[in-house]
Amino acid sequence: MVTKKKKRKPLTAGQILCYIMVTLTGFIMFYPFWYVVVYSLSSYSSVIGKGAILWPQGFTLEAIKNVLQDPDIYTAYGNTLFLAIGGTFFSLLATLLFAYPLSCHVAGHRVISFLVYFTMLFSGGMLPTYYVVRSAGLLDSLWSLILPVLINPFYVFLVRNFFEGVPEQLKESAFIDGAGQYRTFFSIMLPLSMAVIASMTLFYAVGYWNSYFSAILYIRSPERRPLQLILREMISSSSTEELAGDFSASDLTPTTLKMATLTVSVIPIICVYPFLQKFFEKGVMIGALKG
């Protein structure tokens, strides 16, 4: 039998307008990043005096090579990777272990939930947090960028709502088979919450990767500076002029080196996003609507 192909309905004016708006919005959001990449791959003499550019002009990898030859970049990369990987792991673990008892309605769960919610509205402030970090002996330590922000209260409620949406029959069947709370949590709840975990992984990883202001307050030693602090120094100081050397000979300027450093620093975290994108919307919507 020959099946007839269904004719596609013509797009309405409203749909065409939506496609145009989405395309323009996507271009506006993507172009600044693309401009940084294109500028870092272009020779300065080719782009000077030009406005918006879409493709590399006078293609060269000189700026990228110059940045990668700086040993401070690799040290900062190691610190930032520790924050992004280690911090995300501990934050996920703490958030999940905190949210699960709240979903089980342990004694005092309403009071604890209120205290968590209160921190979403009012924080201790910069100076009290600094004194707490100093009193704990965490100054000039990478742990000062992890422990004060270990748990995000919004993610706690997100995960708690998801756990509350899991059918009680699953938990009861596990208890009947002799499983305790820990076995139920690790064998049943965690496998079911992979979408929420993937969403939180992306949120936490991006937050730690972009950790900037806390590093200014707590980090003193150059060998413990994260990547964002290196970027700040390159953008706000004349250190890039020392790296560039003879501009006329190498066609490098502080601007091209800044663009190259930005490109080198942002690409790794962007590469993580495609692997978590399929879980992103599902995880947020499930955690936000159920319960």
Side-chain angles (χ1 to χ4, degrees), residues 16-57:
I16 294 175
L17 180 62
C18 287
Y19 282 126
I20 294 175
M21 293 300 296
V22 169
T23 303
L24 289 177
T25 303
F27 176 78
I28 292 172
M29 298 180 68
F30 175 74
Y31 182 73
F33 166 73
W34 179 247
Y35 179 83
V36 169
V37 175
V38 168
Y39 202 108
S40 65
L41 297 177
S42 303
S43 62
Y44 181 72
S45 58
S46 301
V47 298
I48 186 162
K50 294 185 178 180
I53 53 176
L54 296 177
W55 307 106
Q57 306 291 324

Side-chain angles (χ1 to χ4, degrees), residues 234-247:
M234 292 189 68
I235 292 174
S236 62
S237 68
S238 59
S239 59
T240 50
E241 297 180 2
E242 299 174 2
L243 286 173
D246 186 5
F247 298 157

